[in-house]
């Protein structure tokens, strides 16, 4: 074994002499007719309708029934439509939905009837936007919006909680929990007999 | 099959079903004979433990006898087999098939088909049989019958009338099995429905069974409604931890939480039934403030969290070289009790170990060691008994499945039941029992006068220890007549603790401590040189020994100080001694303990109980507890820390070792007869107190289940008509029951009870005589109008 330590020869060429060249035949410029044909495509497109948009400054509207982020809807008086039945979770082929129901009590009426969804989570890293959950929902509580901007920087942020999914309170709605509309039962709610909150529902709880 | 049935030669009848011959005992229903061949006839109302009714008409088949056919299909659940019978089910008879499909179509005509939101969906006989024996399309249109839903027929049971198929299983169960005819079918035709009597809610101790046998989702449990579907649940076979009946159970868990418990099917024990306490009282496990880590009392006298090594070192330091005793409580599994027994003998070198944290006596200890341990009176002995004598035992309140068995035998063959008791009861009325009314403390004399035969059974309750001489009298009666005698404690772990040797007078397997051969036997098995031979102390003696400085430390597992007589005195002793407490949650013992070691609750561990028959009731862990903290494992680690290994690292190891020890074949401890005490005389406003616990009361294992609490029986003080007249009190007026310790005020109930006695529930809201009066049975109290 020699005592001197030789630097290991790297495979990278050290000088021009180390490199061997191969001669390549390159074709010359195409004939003018061919060039004109190519430029014609470019020229023609200049008069066509522009399909690209300057996203994110400009956002193109989606199709009407585009499958976007889910939304948990409310009755016109603000009570939640979700009854915590978990049918959406069973329907989900990707196991993206987690629901835990709880009992409505006179002090804590979140939805008409017996039960409401206490915990509602959708994991958008699993969701395939197939819409089977929407079909399964017996109260039309779960629908899909057209919102598609669902990118984020962590897994946790992509598990949407009930607060993230609930529809905003619109005019005439009251933040639950509050009692049901006086004189109405859950069937009236489903039949659309309740059109807005009643003054007596406010501040009861 | 019971011995009675197998003893009688059965006449077999051969019938042809769908072309196959089958021989079945005479009286078998056609539907059961078909089952024997594996032919499934659809049915809703048919239940093997209920009388046939033919209500749902789903099981229609074509029947021909001696070549003569019935003109129309017949309900196979009501017709017993007969010679030369030819049956054609839906499989071979197009007529039967069409009839079944027609019935199914009619049943579904008004059924709401809300399967997606129905609790029964997924385990529903209607759903399943509509798929297997129904038409795929419905011809009935229009609006379905709508009822208000749900209606509470009790605080636990909810009824959706529109789902009901009127099979009458629930009403038949209530009438035939529980004898609680609180629900019935009312109205007629399309409006027929299950209803309750206007002023009588469905207050049955067995109401949960109606939910379990409902073939549709008409009856649902308030605590399980909408919580889960069958396919969400992980089911584990388990045993009930509530009483000594020893019911087979099934525990259903979802996401690590117990959601429901169902009665298992064990024909030898609970058949297919259980009581509401066993079914619904499981929230105590999760609702309490569970201990999550060991606690050690620091220099300032505060309990602070500690690591396991720290806590074990602290416990070991407090126990090594000290005179210590063990108090187990009535609820350990056999394996845990065996762990305590071995721990006491090896690590603490003492026989001071007892499981009886209630009102006890030395007479009882002697009775347990001489008569109860190893005895094998069983439920089937009730099935063949000619006469059952109940002594200080209220079956419906203290061991409900024993009541169901008595009731079954009363209904089927008019079993004679006699009860020596201080007060009549609902169960006595149901059983039409001969009620021998005695004053509290005078039971022994009454028992001595009863005539029994060798086929009789004497069932002695744990309260017999409260009356001097009663256990001796019961034993003497059994010896004199040859009747069988069984002791039925209230708590699930007591018999197991007795067998496993968690008892001052017995080593594991019923070996008497006083017998040197038994001690040598155990010492050899355990690989130790000697087993302590000094007789051990009872709980009461241990408490006194702490006060007299004869005992320094106590190892306490699953005990509530409030169960003990003279609880203030006991609490002082717990404060004074060095206490190591093995508990699932904060309790009256952990409050004063020096080291608290958290252990697994019953759903988190595996093991077994031994019920009053002496029958092992094994159960598996329903919820995984990563630490596998059964008491026996903690005790094993603690013993290691003390330098005295007991080598019981797992429940399996304890079970194997206990099984290998076997039972003692030598002589039992000799019985020492105790003479009855002298009767207490009563004058003026004085009365003799008597009490027992209701099935549903303030028990710590029923905490957190409000729906269950809703069906408790009312808290009342019972006095006799003549006393009521003397006091000028009518039912509903208030009575004050008092002694030097305190007083209890309760509404009065004028009922069948001895004129000298007053009865009150032992642990109900506003009535805890043990705590308030320090008197539960046989003591004098003053009863006045409040």
């Amino acid at each position: 074994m020699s005592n001197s330590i030789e630097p290991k020869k790297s495979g990278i060429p050290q000088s021009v002499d180390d490199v061997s060249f191969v001669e390549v035949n390159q074709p010359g410029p195409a004939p003018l007719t061919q060039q004109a044909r190519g430029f014609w495509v470019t020229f023609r497109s200049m008069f066509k309708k522009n399909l690209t948009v300057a996203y994110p400054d400009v956002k193109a509207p989606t199709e009407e029934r585009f499958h976007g982020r889910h939304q948990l809807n409310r009755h016109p008086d603000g009570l939640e439509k979700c009854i915590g039945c978990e049918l959406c979770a069973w329907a989900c082929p990707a196991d993206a939905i987690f629901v835990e129901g709880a009992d409505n009590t006179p002090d804590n009426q979140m939805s008409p009837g017996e039960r409401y969804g206490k915990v509602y989570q959708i994991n958008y890293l699993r969701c395939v936007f197939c819409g089977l959950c929407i079909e399964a929902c017996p109260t039309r509580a779960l629908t899909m919006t057209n919102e598609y901007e669902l990118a984020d920087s962590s897994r946790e942020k992509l598990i949407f909680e009930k607060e993230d999914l609930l529809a905003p309170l619109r005019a005439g709605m009251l933040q639950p929990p509050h009692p049901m509309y006086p004189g109405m039962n859950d069937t009236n709610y489903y039949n659309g007999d309740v059109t807005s909150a009643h003054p007596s529902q406010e501040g009861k709880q | 099959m019971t011995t009675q049935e197998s003893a009688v030669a059965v006449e077999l009848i051969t019938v042809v079903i769908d072309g196959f011959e089958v021989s079945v005992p005479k009286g078998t229903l056609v539907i059961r004979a078909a089952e024997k061949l594996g032919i499934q006839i659809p049915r809703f109302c048919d239940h093997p433990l209920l009388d046939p009714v033919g209500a749902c008409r789903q099981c229609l088949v074509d029947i021909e006898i001696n070549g003569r056919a019935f003109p129309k299909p017949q309900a196979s659940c009501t017709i017993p087999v007969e010679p030369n019978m030819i049956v054609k089910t839906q499989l071979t008879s197009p007529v039967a098939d069409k009839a079944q499909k027609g019935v199914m179509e009619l049943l579904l005509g008004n059924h709401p088909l809300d399967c997606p939101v129905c609790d029964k969906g997924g385990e529903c006989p209607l759903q399943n049989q509509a798929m297997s024996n129904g038409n795929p399309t419905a011809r009935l249109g229009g609006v379905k019958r709508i009822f208000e839903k749900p209606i509470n027929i009790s605080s636990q049971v909810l009824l959706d009338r529109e789902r009901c198929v009127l099979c009458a299983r629930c009403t038949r169960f209530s009438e035939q099995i529980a004898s609680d005819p609180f629900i019935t079918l009312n109205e007629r035709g399309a409006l027929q429905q299950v209803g309750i009597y206007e002023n009588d809610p469905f207050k049955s101790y067995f109401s949960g069974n109606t939910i379990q046998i409902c073939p549709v989702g008409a009856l649902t449990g308030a605590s399980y409604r909408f919580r889960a579907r069958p396919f969400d649940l992980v089911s584990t076979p388990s045993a009930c931890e509530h009483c000594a009946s020893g019911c087979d159970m099934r525990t259903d868990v979802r996401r690590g939480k117990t959601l429901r418990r169902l009665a298992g099917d064990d024909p030898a024990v609970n058949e297919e039934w259980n009581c509401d306490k066993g079914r619904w009282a499981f929230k105590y496990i999760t609702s309490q403030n569970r201990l999550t880590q060991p606690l050690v009392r620091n220099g300032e006298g505060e309990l602070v969290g500690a690591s396991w090594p720290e806590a074990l070192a602290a416990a070991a330091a407090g126990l090594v070289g000290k005179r210590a005793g063990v108090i187990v409580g009535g609820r350990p599994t056999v394996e845990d009790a065996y762990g305590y027994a071995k721990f006491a003998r090896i690590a603490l070198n003492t026989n001071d170990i007892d499981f009886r944290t209630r009102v006890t006596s030395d007479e009882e200890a002697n009775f347990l060691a001489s008569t109860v341990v190893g005895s094998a009176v069983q439920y089937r002995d009730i099935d063949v008994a000619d006469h059952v004598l109940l002594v200080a035992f209220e079956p419906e309140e203290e061991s409900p499945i024993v009541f169901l068995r008595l009731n079954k035998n009363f209904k089927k063959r008019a079993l004679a039941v006699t009860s020596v008791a201080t007060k009549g009861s609902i169960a006595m009325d149901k059983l039409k029992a001969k009620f021998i009314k005695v004053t509290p403390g005078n039971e022994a004399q009454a028992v001595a006068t009863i005539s029994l035969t060798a086929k009789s059974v004497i069932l002695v309750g744990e309260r017999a220890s409260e009356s001097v001489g009663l256990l001796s009298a019961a034993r003497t009666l059994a010896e004199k007549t040859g009747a069988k005698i069984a002791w039925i404690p209230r708590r699930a772990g007591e018999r197991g603790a007795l067998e496993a040797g968690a008892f001052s007078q017995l080593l594991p397997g019923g070996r008497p401590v006083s017998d040197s051969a038994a001690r040598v036997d155990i010492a050899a098995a355990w690989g130790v040189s000697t087993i302590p031979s000094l007789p051990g102390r009872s709980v009461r003696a241990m408490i006194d020994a702490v006060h007299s400085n004869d005992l320094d430390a106590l190892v306490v597992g699953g005990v509530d100080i409030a169960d003990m007589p003279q609880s203030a005195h006991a609490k002082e002793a717990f404060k004074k001694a060095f206490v190591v407490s093995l508990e699932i949650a904060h309790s009256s013992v952990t409050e004063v303990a020096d080291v608290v070691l958290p252990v697994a609750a019953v759903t988190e561990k595996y093991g077994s109980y031994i019920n009053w028959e002496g029958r092992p009731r094994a159960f598996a862990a329903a919820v995984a507890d990563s630490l596998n903290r059964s008491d026996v494992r903690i005790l094993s680690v603690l013993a290691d820390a003390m330098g005295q290994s007991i080598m019981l690292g797992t429940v399996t190891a304890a079970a194997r070792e206990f099984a290998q020890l076997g039972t003692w074949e030598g002589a039992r401890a000799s019985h020492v007869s105790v003479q009855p005490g002298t009767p207490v005389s009563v004058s003026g406003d004085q009365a003799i107190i008597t009490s027992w616990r209701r099935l549903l009361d303030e028990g710590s294992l029923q905490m957190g289940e409000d729906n269950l609490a809703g069906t408790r029986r009312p808290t009342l003080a019972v006095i006799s008509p003549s006393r009521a007249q003397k006091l000028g009190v009518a039912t509903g007026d208030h009575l004050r029951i008092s002694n030097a310790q305190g007083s209890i005020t309760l509404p009065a109930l004028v009922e069948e009870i001895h004129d000298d006695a007053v009865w009150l529930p032992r642990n109900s809201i506003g009535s805890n005589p043990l705590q308030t009066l320090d008197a539960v049975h046989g003591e004098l109290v003053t009863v006045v109008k409040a």
Side-chain angles (χ1 to χ4, degrees):
Chain A
M1 217 180 184
S2 81
N3 286 333
S4 65
I5 298 166
E6 295 272 324
K8 203 177 172 188
K9 263 207 170 165
S10 76
I12 300 162
Q14 301 294 309
S15 73
V16 174
D17 303 334
D18 298 345
V19 185
S20 58
F21 293 95
V22 177
E23 200 165 305
V24 177
N25 272 328
Q26 286 196 332
L32 199 65
T33 49
Q34 276 188 25
Q35 286 192 27
R37 240 165 68 198
F39 281 120
W40 173 246
V41 173
T42 314
F43 181 75
R44 197 182 50 189
S45 340
M46 287 163 72
F47 302 99
K48 276 196 171 169
K49 195 185 160 199
N50 199 349
L51 282 174
T52 57
V53 291
Y55 182 85
D57 297 330
V58 181
K59 285 171 188 167
T62 61
E63 289 297 328
E64 212 178 313
R65 297 174 70 176
F66 175 83
H67 285 188
R69 179 179 73 79
H70 299 78
Q71 173 169 289
L72 283 171
N73 299 310
R74 295 175 187 276
H75 287 288
D77 67 347
L79 284 180
E80 292 163 10
K81 282 188 174 176
C82 177
I83 53 168
C85 71
E86 305 184 28
L87 283 172
C88 49
W90 302 329
C92 183
D95 202 7
I97 307 182
F98 175 88
V99 187
E100 216 172 77
D103 282 336
N104 279 318
T105 58
D107 303 330
N108 188 34
Q109 183 94 36
M110 300 297 287
S111 69
E114 286 179 63
R115 301 268 292 172
Y116 75 101
K118 192 181 182 194
V119 180
Y120 200 102
Q121 297 176 338
I122 297 183
N123 184 344
Y124 281 103
L125 289 164
R126 303 200 70 154
C127 178
V128 294
F129 298 94
C130 64
L132 285 177
C133 47
I134 308 306
E135 279 183 45
C137 184
T139 61
R140 298 290 284 154
L142 192 66
T143 53
M144 279 171 146
T145 62
N146 292 348
E147 192 189 325
Y148 51 81
E149 292 176 309
L150 293 165
D152 220 318
S153 54
S154 76
R155 288 173 184 274
E156 290 73 26
K157 284 183 196 163
L158 279 159
I159 298 173
F160 279 44
E161 297 284 344
K162 190 174 160 192
E163 306 83 74
D164 308 319
L165 297 166
L166 264 177
L169 288 169
R170 296 191 198 287
M173 289 183 177
L174 291 170
Q175 177 70 44
H178 60 70
M180 284 160 70
Y181 197 94
M184 299 278 185
N185 61 22
D186 44 345
T187 313
N188 293 123
Y189 272 82
Y190 297 129
N191 290 343
D193 300 340
V194 177
T195 50
S196 73
H198 188 269
S200 70
Q201 289 175 285
E202 196 172 4
K204 270 247 174 119
Q205 280 158 358
Chain B
M1 208 181 269
T2 65
T3 45
Q4 188 193 27
E5 277 165 350
S6 55
V8 181
V10 267
E11 188 187 334
L12 289 179
I13 288 178
T14 304
V15 288
V16 178
I17 302 177
D18 286 344
F20 298 100
E21 271 194 9
V22 63
S23 295
V24 290
K26 192 181 175 192
T28 306
L29 298 168
V30 171
I31 199 166
R32 300 259 182 286
E35 271 172 15
K36 261 195 114 180
L37 283 171
I39 295 167
Q40 158 101 11
I41 300 169
R43 83 289 302 264
F44 297 111
C45 67
D46 171 65
H47 192 284
L49 298 178
L50 301 174
D51 292 346
V53 66
C56 73
R57 314 311 292 174
Q58 186 58 53
C59 61
L60 296 177
V61 293
D62 261 347
I63 296 176
E64 189 185 307
I65 302 170
N66 288 327
R68 289 180 47 162
F70 278 95
K72 287 178 183 171
Q74 298 296 309
S76 59
C77 72
T78 54
I79 295 186
V81 290
E82 279 179 45
N84 301 324
M85 187 184 254
I86 296 173
V87 179
K88 285 182 177 169
T89 72
Q90 74 278 6
L91 300 174
T92 50
S93 160
V95 177
D97 189 46
K98 190 178 176 210
Q100 288 181 7
K101 287 190 167 150
V103 169
M104 180 64 79
E105 198 170 351
L106 288 169
L107 287 179
L108 292 175
N110 264 323
H111 192 79
L113 297 181
D114 55 352
C115 307
V117 294
C118 174
D119 275 356
K120 203 81 176 179
E123 55 177 10
C124 177
L126 181 60
Q127 216 178 20
N128 296 343
Q129 295 180 63
M131 301 299 277
S132 62
N133 299 81
N135 275 327
T137 52
R139 289 173 292 173
L140 295 168
V143 178
K144 297 198 178 198
R145 177 193 58 192
I146 291 172
F147 285 120
E148 186 202 333
K149 66 186 270 182
I151 52 172
N152 270 79
I153 59 175
S154 75
S155 64
Q156 303 156 332
V157 185
L158 301 169
L159 171 65
D160 290 284
R161 285 167 292 175
E162 47 197 30
R163 290 181 186 154
C164 179
V165 294
L166 301 169
C167 69
R169 273 190 185 183
C170 53
T171 55
R172 278 181 294 151
F173 169 83
S174 301
E175 198 188 314
Q176 295 166 14
I177 307 291
S179 293
D180 287 323
F182 290 118
I183 56 175
T184 182
L185 288 170
N186 48 33
E187 305 285 347
R188 286 293 173 267
L191 286 177
Q192 190 172 35
Q193 52 184 277
V194 173
I196 51 173
Y197 297 103
E198 206 167 331
N199 301 320
D200 269 331
F202 185 33
K203 277 198 174 177
S204 168
Y205 282 163
F206 306 97
S207 62
N209 293 299
T210 60
I211 297 171
Q212 192 173 340
I213 58 173
C214 181
V216 292
L219 291 172
T220 48
S223 61
Y224 175 69
R225 195 174 161 85
F226 299 135
R227 295 299 188 284
R229 322 307 298 289
F231 38 82
D232 295 324
L233 301 169
V234 179
S235 302
T236 314
S238 42
C240 187
E241 77 273 25
H242 285 286
C243 82
S245 293
C247 289
D248 188 46
M249 303 265 283
R250 192 180 104 189
T251 303
D252 285 351
V253 171
R254 184 185 193 195
R255 295 177 190 143
K257 245 164 79 179
T258 306
L259 285 192
R260 68 170 175 182
R261 299 182 91 185
L262 299 174
D265 182 5
D266 189 338
V269 180
N270 56 321
E271 303 192 298
E272 288 179 39
W273 319 121
N274 74 347
C275 73
D276 287 355
K277 182 154 85 169
R279 184 175 300 264
W280 283 308
F282 54 80
K283 287 207 177 135
Y284 72 95
I285 297 168
T286 42
S287 67
Q288 292 181 86
N289 192 5
R290 284 287 298 274
L291 292 163
T292 51
Q293 67 175 129
L295 305 172
V296 174
R297 202 167 289 282
N298 65 10
E300 283 87 61
E302 288 165 9
L303 270 186
V304 289
S307 68
W308 275 99
E310 263 180 285
L312 290 169
L319 293 175
V320 170
K322 299 283 167 55
R323 296 161 302 172
V326 181
I327 302 177
V328 187
R331 304 197 181 279
T333 64
V334 179
E335 292 78 11
D336 289 345
Y338 179 70
Y340 282 107
K342 196 172 177 186
F343 182 84
R345 273 57 184 244
I346 294 181
L348 302 177
N349 192 31
T350 180
N351 282 318
D352 288 348
I353 176 167
D354 198 357
F355 60 88
R356 298 171 301 149
T357 54
R358 46 185 169 80
V359 183
T360 58
S361 64
D362 292 339
E363 183 193 358
E364 187 194 33
N366 180 243
F367 178 77
L368 295 181
S370 64
T371 313
V372 175
V373 72
S375 86
V377 181
Q378 295 187 323
Y379 282 104
R380 78 160 71 115
D381 292 314
I382 299 175
D383 289 337
V384 295
D386 63 347
H387 192 161
V388 172
L389 172 67
L390 308 177
V391 178
F393 177 56
E394 181 48 48
E396 203 181 13
E397 307 278 11
E398 296 180 318
S399 202
I401 300 305
V402 176
F403 167 75
L404 287 191
R405 193 55 78 105
L406 290 170
N407 198 29
K408 175 186 169 185
N409 282 288
F410 167 68
K411 294 249 174 190
K412 289 255 187 295
R413 55 188 192 92
L415 171 69
V417 179
T418 303
S419 175
V420 175
T422 48
K423 180 183 93 74
S425 68
I426 297 169
M428 294 302 103
D429 294 345
K430 288 179 186 173
L431 295 170
K432 297 228 171 12
K434 188 176 167 203
F435 168 40
I436 298 180
K437 192 162 62 179
V438 291
T439 52
N442 286 354
E443 290 93 338
Q445 287 92 331
V447 165
T449 61
I450 289 166
S451 59
L452 296 176
T453 70
K455 280 183 78 186
S456 308
V457 174
I458 307 172
L459 301 178
V460 185
E462 67 174 30
R463 287 181 287 111
S465 66
E466 292 160 11
S467 184
V468 180
L470 179 53
L471 287 164
S472 300
R475 191 188 144 106
T476 309
L477 179 67
E479 277 175 346
K480 197 173 76 188
T481 58
K484 290 182 166 145
I485 182 164
W487 177 71
I488 306 188
R490 243 172 35 84
R491 291 182 170 166
E494 295 215 347
R495 180 69 193 265
L498 183 69
E499 300 288 338
F503 188 49
S504 52
Q505 305 197 0
L506 293 174
L507 295 168
R511 293 167 174 80
V513 168
S514 50
D515 191 322
S516 59
R519 291 201 305 275
V520 168
D521 200 9
I522 290 290
W526 284 351
V528 292
S529 51
T530 52
I531 295 287
S533 58
L534 272 179
R537 296 184 176 95
S538 68
V539 171
R540 193 152 188 174
M542 278 189 255
I543 300 290
D544 292 340
V546 169
H547 280 293
S548 63
N549 292 322
D550 292 323
L551 208 58
D552 308 314
L554 292 170
V555 176
V556 184
V559 170
D560 187 354
I561 298 177
D563 287 339
M564 299 185 181
Q566 296 179 308
S567 55
H569 182 68
K571 188 144 196 166
E572 283 305 311
F574 278 85
K575 271 188 192 154
K576 190 177 171 195
F578 179 83
V579 172
V580 178
S581 168
L582 284 80
E583 257 301 348
I584 62 165
H586 292 281
S587 72
S588 54
V589 176
T590 61
E591 255 173 51
V592 293
D594 296 277
V595 178
V596 179
L597 303 172
V599 292
V602 67
T603 52
E604 298 154 1
K605 62 184 178 186
Y606 58 103
S608 60
Y609 290 112
I610 290 180
N611 75 349
W612 68 268
E613 302 168 283
R615 186 193 298 270
R617 311 301 291 161
F619 61 91
V623 183
D625 176 81
S626 54
L627 293 169
N628 177 23
R629 297 170 301 179
S630 203
D631 298 32
V632 61
R633 183 162 186 254
I634 307 298
L635 288 170
S636 185
V637 185
L638 178 56
D640 289 343
M642 292 169 66
Q644 302 279 350
S645 260
I646 59 169
M647 311 280 264
L648 296 172
T650 60
V651 173
T652 320
R656 196 188 305 131
E657 199 177 295
F658 180 52
Q660 277 169 358
L661 282 177
T663 48
W664 177 240
E665 278 153 11
R668 281 178 174 181
S670 55
H671 183 254
V672 182
S673 201
V674 174
Q675 288 307 307
T678 44
V680 183
S681 61
V682 168
S683 61
D685 285 338
Q686 284 181 326
I688 311 171
I689 190 171
T690 179
S691 65
W692 56 71
R693 284 184 170 85
R694 297 278 206 206
L695 181 73
L696 304 178
D697 60 7
E698 291 283 275
S700 54
L701 299 198
Q702 297 166 52
M703 287 198 311
E705 185 49 74
D706 299 337
N707 295 324
L708 183 64
T711 53
R712 286 177 188 169
R713 289 179 178 165
T715 306
L716 298 161
V718 178
I719 51 170
S720 70
S722 75
R723 180 177 289 268
Q725 203 182 9
K726 209 166 70 182
L727 289 171
V729 172
T731 293
D733 294 348
H734 280 71
L735 287 175
R736 185 182 298 118
I737 300 109
S738 59
N739 65 4
Q741 308 283 324
S743 79
I744 294 173
T745 306
L746 290 178
L749 174 66
V750 180
E751 216 190 49
E752 185 80 338
I753 188 170
H754 198 280
D755 286 345
D756 290 348
V758 58
W759 180 91
L760 52 165
R762 197 172 283 194
N763 190 24
S764 297
I765 294 177
S767 174
N768 191 331
L770 187 62
Q771 288 278 296
T772 323
L773 310 175
D774 202 11
V776 286
H777 187 87
E779 291 90 346
L780 278 179
V781 290
T782 310
V783 179
V784 292
K785 189 176 178 179

